[in-house]
């Protein structure tokens, strides 16, 4: 995998899934691929709906889908075009729970005190009529210099302690293709049998980056479509 592979994979997304894209902020420079006005970092202290809104308002995404979910791509290469770091993230539209904040407070009657205190702190920013979001983001990370955790792994939300390690790092098309397959099934069904989709899949599969890391105590995934 090199920078040209990443950019071609993104062009394949634009071709295959152009009908479901409403904004494209992909940006690249000499050694990286990210998005316009790129701002690093993950907020682990705010409810997901707040993070989602802030990222959307500040246009912190690579591609925005028609349903207002979005993906982030970040790839960093060294001067020899070797992959040093990567992030592929998917942020779905927050899904409201069936309970309002006022109804959620009613559920505290039989809860332990420590749980009540924590939940009150978490939902204190919402008004009584608001619904609480029960969604989070997911992301695939790679860090060639990581020593305290797996170099390549899938992670959910802001939970740092749980990572599904991977033998490979996917390219953008394969990541988006799995997102569409899981969350936009009709679109995936319509496109998956086309020649363009099949060629784009084959392109990615031949160029996945191998993390060359195996760990006996981890659950391994081998990347989508592999």
């Amino acid at each position: 995998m090199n920078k040209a592979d990443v950019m071609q994979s993104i062009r394949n997304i634009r071709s295959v899934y152009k009908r479901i894209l409403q904004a494209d902020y992909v940006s690249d420079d000499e050694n990286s691929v990210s998005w316009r006005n790129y701002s690093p970092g993950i907020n682990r202290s705010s409810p997901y709906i707040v993070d989602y809104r802030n990222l959307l308002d500040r246009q912190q995404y690579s591609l925005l889908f028609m349903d207002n979910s979005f993906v982030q791509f970040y790839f960093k290469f060294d001067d020899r075009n070797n992959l040093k770091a990567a992030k592929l993230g998917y942020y779905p539209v927050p899904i409201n729970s069936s309970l309002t904040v006022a109804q959620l407070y009613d559920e505290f009657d039989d809860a332990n005190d420590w749980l009540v205190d924590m939940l009150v702190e978490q939902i204190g920013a919402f008004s009584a009529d608001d619904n609480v979001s029960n969604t989070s983001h997911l992301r695939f990370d790679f860090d060639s210099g990581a020593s305290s955790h797996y170099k390549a792994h899938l992670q959910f939300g802001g939970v740092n302690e749980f990572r599904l390690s991977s033998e490979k790092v996917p390219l953008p098309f394969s990541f988006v293709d799995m997102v569409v397959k899981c969350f936009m099934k009709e679109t995936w069904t319509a496109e998956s049998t086309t020649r363009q989709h099949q060629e784009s899949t084959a392109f990615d599969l031949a160029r996945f980056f191998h993390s060359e890391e195996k760990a006996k105590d981890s659950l391994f995934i081998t990347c989508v479509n592999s």
Side-chain angles (χ1 to χ4, degrees):
M1 179 193 299
N2 56 41
K3 183 170 173 285
D5 294 334
V6 173
M7 292 306 298
Q8 180 58 53
S9 187
I10 291 173
R11 285 192 289 271
N12 291 341
I13 297 171
R14 292 166 177 158
S15 297
V16 173
Y17 289 122
K18 57 182 176 292
R19 292 187 302 162
I20 59 172
L21 297 178
Q22 66 166 304
D24 183 340
Y25 288 159
V26 173
S27 176
D28 70 295
D29 58 28
E30 184 178 358
N31 292 320
S32 67
V33 178
S34 58
W35 57 89
R36 298 180 206 167
N37 303 316
Y38 168 75
S39 178
I42 298 170
N43 191 341
R44 297 183 176 90
S45 60
S46 298
Y48 174 70
I49 192 170
V50 175
D51 290 338
Y52 168 86
R53 183 198 65 206
N54 288 337
L55 292 171
L56 192 65
D57 288 348
R58 295 187 294 117
Q59 298 177 334
Q60 291 294 301
Y61 49 78
S62 302
L63 299 172
L64 177 67
F65 297 113
M66 288 296 187
D67 68 352
N68 290 319
S69 65
F70 57 86
V71 288
Q72 293 179 334
F73 303 136
Y74 174 79
F75 290 82
K76 180 69 175 179
F77 296 88
D78 64 17
D79 292 337
R80 304 175 108 186
N81 215 6
N82 297 312
L83 183 65
K84 304 302 292 181
K87 171 189 174 180
L88 302 97
Y90 175 62
Y91 290 76
V93 176
I95 300 173
N96 286 337
S97 71
S98 59
L99 298 178
T100 64
V101 170
Q103 291 171 323
L104 192 58
Y105 276 117
D106 292 338
E107 297 292 321
F108 294 172
D109 291 343
D110 299 323
N112 293 325
D113 290 342
W114 68 269
L115 182 59
V116 171
D117 292 342
M118 181 182 70
L119 291 175
V120 168
E121 181 178 354
Q122 288 290 320
I123 65 177
F126 296 94
S127 65
D129 295 330
D130 285 338
N131 290 91
V132 180
S133 168
N134 60 1
T135 316
S136 187
H137 77 280
L138 61 88
R139 71 182 190 274
F140 190 101
D141 287 337
F142 171 73
D143 182 355
S144 63
S147 58
S148 61
H149 56 72
Y150 308 120
K151 288 180 171 62
H153 59 268
L154 183 68
Q155 203 165 346
F156 302 91
V159 181
N160 280 337
E161 292 75 16
F162 183 81
R163 296 177 173 91
L164 290 174
S165 55
S166 175
E167 296 175 328
K168 301 176 184 178
V169 179
L171 281 159
F173 178 83
S174 289
F175 183 79
V176 166
D177 192 50
M178 181 57 72
V179 166
V180 175
K181 183 178 182 179
C182 293
F183 297 97
M184 310 169 205
K185 293 181 180 180
E186 290 186 5
T187 297
W188 186 86
T189 299
E191 299 294 345
S192 61
T193 58
T194 65
R195 179 177 178 179
Q196 194 171 38
H197 182 280
Q198 293 168 357
E199 290 176 348
S200 297
T201 299
F203 178 89
D204 275 25
L205 290 180
R207 293 165 176 82
F208 277 175
F209 179 85
H210 290 258
S211 68
E212 299 180 354
E213 178 182 53
K214 288 184 177 293
K216 295 180 180 179
D217 61 342
S218 68
L219 294 173
F220 273 93
I221 56 178
T222 58
C223 290
V224 295
N225 295 329
S226 60

